[in-house]
Amino acid sequence: FICNSVLSFRNITALAPMVRVGTLPMRLLALDYGADVVYCEELIDIKMAQCHRVVNDVLETVDFVAPDDRVMFRTCEREKDRVIFQMVRQRNRSQRDENLKPGWAILEKDVAAIDVNMGCPKEYSTKGGMGAALLSDPDKIEAILKKLVAGVSIPVTCKIRILPTVEETVSLVRRIEKTGVTAVAVHGRLKEERPRHPVHCDYIQAVAQAVSIPVIANGGSLDLVKTNADIEEFRKATGASSVMLARAAMWNASVFSNQGPLPVERVMEEYLKYAIQYDNNAFNTKYCLCQMLRDKVESPLGKQLQAAQTSAEICKAYGMQELFQQTQERLQARRDTLQSSTEP
Ligand code: FNR
């Protein structure tokens, strides 16, 4: 039994799972600024089941690599006790999929917990019976979580959206609690609601009062959480144990710091350093930086960034080509050393 004494879900702030945003550079940056726990972007369980676990000695990471050589998930020692792997379950499986080893089996020793996303309203998720489609099928939720809790030695958590009434939401979370999950994150919006709609703190509060596992409040980025001090206000307003931030952190990750907020230019630079160091996918890096630029995306820097196609070009837009070059040389030197040490 792997006992993870470091990870707690009480009184923490978490970087929310975000597709394209929540890769290693953003997670490390959020940890630097003071996030206690960081979720990766959601990944489909079946895809993970097809991955190989590769120790990357050059980058000093552990990579989960798909059959087409794409790195689906990259992690490193520094975040081991803090990173939560979020998966979505694909319902429409072929027999071949069913015969695969479960997607989480290869992850257990590299992440602190596994989270199941039951709240994604996007069509690609709900069509396949994943994400928010599960919210209307509590039997299925129960079955998935029970199986996962029994099948892994690390904590299991789940993330949901609220249901149309407080009563239904509370009743669902009570069922979820009974499956043995360690915590539940509640995004205080209905699956039909868009991110610009106000968050329903009262629903989260009712849930937090009804269960004894930690509840992580989510959905406050737009109007409630703008600064570090607002995090505590949002926690109080929802009566939850903890707070999870998506957009506020994506726009400026220094929201996690009680010394912050730092100017976004500085945050972008720190992000880019990690993106270079960990060879982050260039389009992914560009996407994140564009999100951070927000309304400045049409500025001269924004335009240069949008035109960039490679990591080198992105770095050039930020005047960081020298650092890019040095990092490439350092990594190449490491590659050469490793290669010569393995040659007979
Ligand atoms: C998300 N969200 C999301 N949720 C999830 O469970 N898994 C995911 O992979 C994603 N992906 C994602 C990408 C991006 C770019 C955004 C903005 C959001 C939803 C997110 O975790 C959160 O629930 C909502 O954004 C509400 O929280 P905030 O933004 O108000 O803090």
Side-chain angles (χ1 to χ4, degrees):
F1 181 71
I2 305 163
C3 177
N4 202 316
S5 55
V6 186
L7 189 69
S8 156
F9 289 94
R10 280 191 204 283
N11 214 359
I12 57 152
T13 53
L15 173 71
M18 282 182 275
V19 166
R20 289 203 271 184
V21 176
T23 61
L24 185 58
M26 179 58 89
R27 299 197 303 266
L28 292 178
L29 193 62
L31 288 176
D32 284 350
Y33 289 135
D36 300 295
V37 157
V38 289
Y39 286 68
C40 75
E41 59 178 337
E42 69 170 28
L43 291 157
I44 299 171
D45 62 342
I46 283 173
K47 294 218 171 123
M48 289 313 294
Q50 296 164 340
C51 284
H52 293 286
R53 179 183 184 276
V54 179
V55 175
N56 185 328
D57 289 318
V58 176
L59 299 178
E60 296 178 310
T61 57
V62 175
D63 299 343
F64 292 83
V65 185
D68 64 0
D69 283 341
R70 258 184 36 190
V71 177
M72 302 297 290
F73 176 60
R74 171 165 285 162
T75 183
C76 67
E77 186 65 29
R78 158 111 197 275
E79 66 169 3
K80 198 173 167 172
D81 296 327
R82 309 266 167 199
V83 66
I84 310 212
F85 183 90
Q86 189 188 62
M87 63 166 209
V88 283
R89 214 191 102 97
Q90 192 166 344
R91 189 174 58 183
N92 304 331
R93 297 151 175 263
S94 65
Q95 193 50 51
R96 199 179 126 252
D97 296 336
E98 289 300 345
N99 295 340
L100 287 169
K101 245 180 137 186
W104 60 77
I106 55 167
L107 288 159
E108 245 181 309
K109 56 178 180 229
D110 297 298
V111 300
I114 295 182
D115 181 77
V116 186
N117 183 10
M118 314 269 187
C120 181
K122 299 253 169 65
E123 204 187 0
Y124 71 83
S125 276
T126 51
K127 260 195 176 163
M130 304 187 287
L134 280 169
L135 286 177
S136 49
D137 194 349
D139 291 342
K140 189 95 196 175
I141 292 184
E142 210 174 81
I144 292 172
L145 292 176
K146 271 189 179 161
K147 193 169 166 200
L148 193 54
V149 169
V152 296
S153 54
I154 52 176
V156 173
T157 61
C158 96
K159 178 166 176 278
I160 61 162
R161 281 187 174 231
I162 57 171
L163 293 174
T165 66
V166 170
E167 292 71 29
E168 288 168 278
T169 312
V170 165
S171 139
L172 174 66
V173 180
R174 284 207 169 113
R175 283 187 76 173
I176 288 175
E177 179 179 35
K178 289 210 187 85
T179 65
V181 297
T182 305
V184 58
V186 181
H187 176 191
R189 288 189 181 86
L190 294 162
K191 68 175 194 287
E192 299 77 22
E193 286 181 317
R194 303 274 55 94
R196 67 187 139 78
H197 290 126
V199 57
H200 301 272
C201 291
D202 52 335
Y203 280 61
I204 304 178
Q205 194 173 40
V207 168
Q209 280 167 3
V211 295
S212 49
I213 50 170
V215 169
I216 308 168
N218 173 240
S221 279
L222 192 65
D223 35 11
L224 301 177
V225 182
K226 293 193 166 44
T227 67
N228 184 257
D230 297 337
I231 297 176
E232 179 57 14
E233 291 306 309
F234 183 51
R235 198 182 66 76
K236 280 195 198 138
T238 54
S241 294
S242 298
V243 168
M244 168 192 276
L245 299 178
R247 287 165 297 166
M250 172 178 79
W251 292 325
N252 188 329
S254 74
V255 70
F256 289 115
S257 164
N258 54 19
Q259 319 280 311
L262 298 172
V264 73
E265 289 71 22
R266 162 113 181 259
V267 177
M268 288 193 287
E269 211 177 292
E270 298 299 326
Y271 172 82
L272 197 44
K273 281 187 199 161
Y274 275 136
I276 306 169
Q277 184 182 343
Y278 289 105
D279 194 23
N280 200 50
N281 174 290
F283 285 95
N284 189 242
T285 302
K286 181 171 150 175
Y287 178 82
C288 271
L289 291 167
C290 284
Q291 298 301 316
M292 294 185 212
L293 277 173
R294 297 187 74 182
D295 52 355
K296 290 188 218 114
V297 82
E298 292 304 324
S299 67
L301 170 63
K303 285 195 172 133
Q304 227 180 319
L305 176 62
Q306 289 185 66
Q309 297 293 318
T310 61
S311 296
E313 286 166 14
I314 296 172
C315 290
K316 190 157 175 252
Y318 283 84
M320 287 167 67
Q321 54 272 58
E322 206 167 311
L323 182 73
F324 179 77
Q325 204 49 45
Q326 284 165 0
T327 310
Q328 295 311 304
E329 283 161 18
R330 188 168 51 78
L331 294 178
Q332 190 54 48
R334 228 182 124 66
R335 225 169 268 134
D336 294 343
T337 315
L338 287 165
Q339 206 156 22
S340 61
S341 68
T342 55
E343 271 163 16

